[in-house]
Amino acid sequence: MNTPRLDPHTLLAQIRALGDIGAAAEGGRTRIALTDSEKAGRDRLVAWMRELDLDIRVDAIGNIFGILPGETPWQEAAPLMMGSHIDTVGNAGALDGCYGVLAALAVQRAYREAGIVPRRAIIAAAFTNEEGVRYQPDMMGSLVYAGGLDLDSALNAVGTDGSRLGDELVRIGYAGEMAPGAIVPREYLELHIEQGPVLEAENLQIGVVTGVQGISWQRLSIRGTANHAGTTPTRLRHDAGYAAAAIAAFLRDEVVAAHPDSTLATVGSLELHPNLINVIARQADMTVDMRDPDEGRLQEAEQRLQDFIAAIAEREGVEISSERLARFEPVPFDDALQDTIEATAAELGLSHRRMVSGAGHDAQMMARIAPTAMIFVPSHKGISHNPREHTDDAQLIQGAEVLLTVVGKRLAAE
Ligand code: HGY
Ligand code: MN
Ligand code: MN
């Protein structure tokens, strides 16, 4: 009897080819959601889906689905869905998201090339705007798909560049017809690089992901008073730059220090105005990304930050406003799917462990509408969101083999 077999060469070649789209001469690639370079990535993915003769659907938030039909149509038997994203942060690696989407195509290709029609349809998905760096929140396409954000709010999202998401979706030609959420899978599986140091540090090959930690994103606007750096006594200053720096230091020295093994805080974006060497900053715009696997600790971190903001605003005589950009509680993944992934890794002779995901993923949104789980492969030195993101080819193939085997087990099960 024919058996679906992975074609590792095509998978690796497609990862490289997609990684060349939006590539910069000095290394890395940038395919920020709904930009021309991301459109080019989308077009390439759709072309690869056509080569597999998949039924291609695009929904109203631009999520792309490639459907490999099953013996029973997906309208009658809930399909199996795998996926991730192909948008990137700025100057990104080639694997984040793309690996999971292209591995999903590799699974479908294995069935096609074996001439096997699966009992149920197998769907590969690429969700819109997972990174959330231009339009917030992140995981936006899967959040809309799972019913966590209404479509109009998403389409009306204004980007950091002032653009409207819905206009950009039309401009790049990916404002689709399908209603988000129209296809509810029986299960959703996402293969992804770990993006952290754990698997490599413990010399393990596979991560069985138990869930995703909580995420809190906010943008702070600090309004002070511009003044002369040389003539203004400190006691008379209303220095937005100092207030921003004090907040960043408080996050690390107080909030993270209270739970150093779990709470994370990042000031990834900070803009001062007028941003001149001899002018006290009148304005500071900054973002705060806080994470913790425990919802109670994440709320504690948010409260401590809010209290400090009030105190520093009073002390420095500045006004500080906060805008919530994203807030997701920790999400647990499906136990039975985790067991299947774990058993599969063991059968394939791959060392493995259960672990929480530090990064956000589309899977945390799909878990709202279907049993969901993730498979991790190691990231070299734990580096990601960086052109130096790397996973060995052998490790990428091992992860795809686990995915293919788990899919086979799920399709064989009633
Ligand atoms: O922010 C995250 O964790 C994901 O990369 N969007
Ligand atoms: Mn990702
Ligand atoms: Mn990412």
Side-chain angles (χ1 to χ4, degrees), residues 12-34:
L12 296 174
Q14 290 188 344
I15 289 173
R16 290 191 175 86
L18 186 53
D20 287 344
I21 297 178
E26 64 275 12
R29 69 285 301 147
T30 297
R31 293 195 307 274
I32 303 282
L34 310 187

Side-chain angles (χ1 to χ4, degrees), residues 192-211:
H192 206 287
I193 52 172
E194 178 200 338
Q195 301 181 284
V198 172
L199 290 175
E200 183 176 73
E202 298 182 14
N203 196 24
L204 296 171
Q205 294 163 302
I206 295 291
V208 181
V209 188
T210 57

Side-chain angles (χ1 to χ4, degrees), residues 85 87-89 92 96-97 130-133 138-139 192-193 195 359-361 384-385 389:
H85 61 96
D87 66 303
T88 73
V89 295
D96 179 0
E130 190 278 345
E131 293 294 0
V133 294
D138 56 348
M139 288 77 72
H192 206 287
I193 52 172
Q195 301 181 284
H361 297 287
S384 184
H385 285 187
E389 184 178 273

Side-chain angles (χ1 to χ4, degrees), residues 214 259 262-263 292-304 327 329-330:
H259 303 287
S262 62
T263 303
D292 197 298
D294 177 86
E295 174 62 14
R297 284 199 303 264
L298 190 55
Q299 288 181 17
E300 177 195 322
E302 289 177 319
Q303 188 57 56
R304 293 196 63 189
R327 181 62 166 91
E329 294 193 8

